[in-house]
């Protein structure tokens, strides 16, 4: 009886070691998984964490007035993060002069980091752009952008946090 118990205990331990070894060989996959984890918070939690303008844009799907935001005319090199959850959204290398008065990009930093949804408010049919992680409203995407995508991601500055490349 004792022998059998020891044997089965050993088998379990060995397979656990093998399982953890094979798992640790995929560190990149694990990081990607963590980044796409959804964030859900109550309205009162968002209200206490965001500024009034950020809350209006991100959670109430508001729009800042053209040419008033922090980043429409920003030409520094760096990365634009979600103001709600710090997810990487856009990079300065895909930003272009749209003349709209809102920061405009021809593609997100990663397709998986943004979500789009049909928006029929104000009697228009538009594609709403959301942060895929926290569901925050970012702006809209239009099919009149430059090459290589032909898309124009028209984003509110207040939905973004810009961090300049230091090197
Ligand atoms: Zn977010």
């Amino acid at each position: 009886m004792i022998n059998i118990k020891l044997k089965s205990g050993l088998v379990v331990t060995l397979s656990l070691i093998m399982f953890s070894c094979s798992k640790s060989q995929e560190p990149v996959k694990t990081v990607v998984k963590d980044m796409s984890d959804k964030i859900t918070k109550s309205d009162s939690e968002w209200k206490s964490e965001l500024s009034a303008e950020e809350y209006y844009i991100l959670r109430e799907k508001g729009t800042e007035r053209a040419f008033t935001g922090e980043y429409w005319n920003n030409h520094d090199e760096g990365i634009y993060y979600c103001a709600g959850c710090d997810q990487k959204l856009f990079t300065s290398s895909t930003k272009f002069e749209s003349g709209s008065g809102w920061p405009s990009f021809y593609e997100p930093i990663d397709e998986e980091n943004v979500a789009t949804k049909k928006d029929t408010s104000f009697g228009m049919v538009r594609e709403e752009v959301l942060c895929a992680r926290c569901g925050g409203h970012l702006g809209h995407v239009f099919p009149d952008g430059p090459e290589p995508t032909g898309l124009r991601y028209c984003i509110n500055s207040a939905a973004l946090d810009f961090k300049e490349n230091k090197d």
Side-chain angles (χ1 to χ4, degrees):
M1 280 293 267
I2 294 164
N3 269 346
I4 293 165
K5 269 188 180 168
L6 275 175
K7 255 188 180 170
S8 64
L10 194 65
V11 169
V12 169
T13 312
L14 273 174
S15 59
L16 271 176
I17 289 168
M18 283 169 76
F19 179 66
S20 54
C21 280
S22 66
K23 234 188 152 185
S24 66
Q25 281 170 348
E26 302 173 75
V28 177
K29 251 190 178 171
T30 312
V31 171
V32 171
K33 247 187 176 177
D34 288 344
M35 278 184 68
S36 64
D37 280 348
K38 300 269 183 289
I39 290 176
T40 41
K41 288 179 186 171
S42 68
D43 281 346
S44 56
E45 279 177 294
W46 283 120
K47 219 161 209 170
S48 66
E49 287 175 26
L50 301 172
S51 72
E53 198 185 12
E54 286 168 349
Y55 183 83
Y56 168 66
I57 307 284
L58 286 165
R59 310 313 311 180
E60 298 185 311
K61 305 187 188 297
T63 303
E64 70 198 12
R65 283 190 297 130
F67 303 102
T68 64
E70 201 179 343
Y71 302 131
W72 70 272
N73 202 24
N74 180 27
H75 294 98
D76 294 332
E77 282 182 24
I79 293 182
Y80 293 84
Y81 295 79
C82 174
C85 73
D86 253 354
Q87 162 130 290
K88 282 182 185 180
L89 296 175
F90 298 96
T91 154
S92 56
S93 60
T94 64
K95 193 173 187 287
F96 66 97
E97 291 299 323
S98 64
S100 68
W102 289 281
S104 303
F105 307 87
Y106 63 74
E107 71 182 354
I109 202 161
D110 190 319
E111 294 276 325
E112 290 191 358
N113 292 11
V114 299
T116 55
K117 191 179 161 191
K118 187 172 264 187
D119 173 12
T120 55
S121 63
F122 300 105
M124 294 177 272
V125 181
R126 296 179 293 174
E127 282 288 311
E128 179 187 4
V129 183
L130 303 124
C131 170
R133 193 200 227 169
C134 71
H137 171 83
L138 305 173
H140 292 90
V141 58
F142 301 95
D144 58 8
E147 292 301 315
T149 62
L151 297 173
R152 171 170 60 96
Y153 287 81
C154 183
I155 307 298
N156 290 283
S157 299
L160 301 171
D161 265 337
F162 177 72
K163 284 166 199 164
E164 197 177 345
N165 284 348
K166 294 292 179 196
D167 39 28

